Amino acid sequence: MLQKNRLLTVLGAVTLWSVPPVLAQTLDSFFTKEWAYQLAQDPVEASTLGERRYNDRWQDLSLKAVQNRHAHDRAVLKELQGFNRAELPIADQLNYDLFEREYQLKVAEFAYGGYRIPLNQRGGIQTAHELADLLQFNTVKDYEDWLNRLRRFPVYMDQTLGLMQEGVRTRTLLPSVVMARVPAQVDQQLVPTPEASPFYKPFRSFPKDIPPPEQARLQQAAKTAIQTRILPSYRKLKTFLVQKYLPASFASVGVWQIPNGDKFYTLLARKYTTTAMTPAQIHELGLAEVKRIRGEMDTVIQKVGFKGTFAEFLTFLRTDQRFYYQTPEELLTSYRAMSRRIDPGLVTLFKTLPRMPYAIEPIPAAAAPDTTTAYYQQPAAGGSRAGIYYVNLYKPESRPKYEMMALSLHEAVPGHHLQIALAQELGEIPNFRRYGGYTAFIEGWGLYAESLGEDLGLYIDPYDKFGQLTYEMWRAVRLVVDTGLHHYRWDRQKAIDYFLANAAKQKLDVINEIDRYLVMPGQALAYKIGERKIQELRTRARSRLGDKFDIREFHGVVLGSGAVPLDILERNVDNWLAAR
C-alpha cells in the first residue's frame, strides 16, 4: 500500500551520497528485478496495481508453484546478503533492512502453511469477479484479456481446491462457523444464465469505438466461457465445500488449532505490530486501554445527561432510531457529505496533500452481509484509478450515524487515502516500499487520523465524540479479543460478549468483526499498537519543541518515508527532533 522511493535527505539533514552511486544503482536493479518477478507471480495483484501485462491470467496456485516461490524467496535473501550493507548510502541501508525484514518474515511464515487456506468468508475465488471492477475496459484487447481469464478459470479453481485439500490433510483449516458462510457466497455465482453472472458485467457495455459486430462476438464468447468454464467450476467448489471441507473444519475457534499454531500466532503478532511484544503483553495492554477509554466514555455520557448504567446507554444507542438511516441511499448520501466537511480543514494539519482523489462507493451487495462496515482500495499505480472508500449499505438501520465521522476520517482523509496516496507520490523509493508497507503503521495512522477530528473541530456533537471513542474502544477491544481467541483459547461467544459489553457497536458488526479476527489472526493487533506509537511520538515532539512544535511538520515527518516499521518511525522522528 505504500510507495517507496529513495530518500534524498534523511530527517536530520544527513548527506546520503557518501559512496559512489553505482552501489545504490546495483541495489536498485536488484529491487527492480524482484519487483518484476513478484508481479509476474501474482497477476491479480499486478492488475490491481494497474499493471496490464498480466491481465489475461490468474496466479498459479499449484503446490509446485507455491513451493517454487518459497525457494525463490530464500534465494533472494541470500542474494541480498551479497551486497555490503555498510557501504550503501543511508537511504539504501534502510531499503536493504526493510526488504530483508519483509522476506525473512515471508520465509518464516511459510513453514506454518497459511497458503493452504486460500479463501475465507471475506473473499477468495468465490469473489474473483470483483477484480473486473478495478480494471479498465477500453479496447478489444481488454475484453479478450478478461475472456482469457474466464477460459483459464477451471485450472485456477482446481489449484485452489488442491490447496484446500492440502489444508484438510494437514489440519491447516479455519473454523466451521466462518466457513459455513462461504457456500451461500458461491450460490451467488450459480446463476441461471451466463448473462446474469457477475463475470459478465464488463460485456454489458462497450466503448463506442468498438463496432457492434465485435461487441456481439465478445458477448457470445463470454457467454460460452461462463457456461462451460465458470459455472462448472463453481459447482465443483460448492460440492467440495459442503461434502469435504466443512465437515473437516474446526468446531472450535483460534489459530492455535493448526500445527504449531501457538508459535505461528506469536510470529503473526510480531509481524503485524512490528514489535517484540508477546501475545500476553498485548492482552494486558488491551485491558488497560479498555479501562482508560471507558473513563472517557463515562465523561461523555454525563455530558449528554443520560441517567442509567453504561450497558443501558449502549442499548439506547443501539435502539434509538434517531441514530440510524432507514435506506441505503440516505446512508450513502451522508457518507459522501462527510468528505465535504473534512476536506477543507486538512491544510491546517498537512503541508502536503495527495494529488490523487478518492471516491466513495458501496461495498458490492453480494459481499456486504459478510464483511465489515467499510474498507479502502488504494489507487492504481500510475494514476489510472483513484482511491476508493467502500462503505457497507447492507441493513442501514444497523449502522449508527455517530460512527460515520470517525470511520470516514480513518478510511479516507486524513486516514488511509491521504497516507497511501502520499506514499505512492513519494520520490525515488523502490516499488516494494511504494506499494507495500506495514500494517502497524498503515492502520495505526488510520486510527490516529480518527483522533484528528478533534483538531479539525468535527466532534462538536457529543454523540460524534462518543462515536470516536467507540472506534478507539473497538481497537482496544481487538487487543483483548484477538489474543483471547488465538492465545488464551477463548470461545467465539466469549469474544462477542466482551466486545458488546465494551463498545456501542451493533451486534451484526461485532459478529462480523470477531469472525474477521478468526480468519486474520494477529492483524487486528496492529491498529492500537501503531496509533499509540504515533501519539507517543507526537507528545514527545510537543514536549521537546514547546511553542516551536508545528503539527504540519510533525505529520510530514511521520508520513515522509511511507509506511515503515514502528522502530524506524521512532528513529525518523528522533532524528528530526535532534535536527531541530
Side-chain angles (χ1 to χ4, degrees), residues 148-190:
N148 281 327
R149 272 186 162 140
L150 301 187
R151 292 165 182 145
R152 291 172 168 173
F153 198 77
V155 173
Y156 186 39
M157 178 64 77
D158 287 345
Q159 291 171 347
T160 299
L161 295 178
L163 292 181
M164 295 173 76
Q165 287 166 343
E166 274 293 293
V168 172
R169 185 184 67 81
T170 61
R171 305 300 294 154
T172 310
L173 296 158
L174 292 173
S176 58
V177 70
V178 291
M179 290 306 296
R181 294 174 177 241
V182 178
Q185 296 173 350
V186 179
D187 286 341
Q188 300 286 325
Q189 300 287 358
L190 299 177

Side-chain angles (χ1 to χ4, degrees), residues 430-458:
N431 282 329
F432 83 90
R433 288 184 57 199
R434 187 184 304 278
Y435 303 111
Y438 298 86
T439 310
F441 183 100
I442 295 166
E443 298 297 356
W445 175 264
L447 179 52
Y448 170 76
E450 295 173 24
S451 73
L452 295 179
E454 288 282 3
D455 300 87
L456 294 168
L458 296 171

Side-chain angles (χ1 to χ4, degrees), residues 5-27:
N5 309 329
R6 176 180 303 110
L7 308 175
L8 297 181
T9 57
V10 221
L11 309 165
V14 179
T15 300
L16 300 184
W17 298 111
S18 55
V19 297
V22 64
L23 289 173
Q25 180 58 45
T26 303
L27 187 63

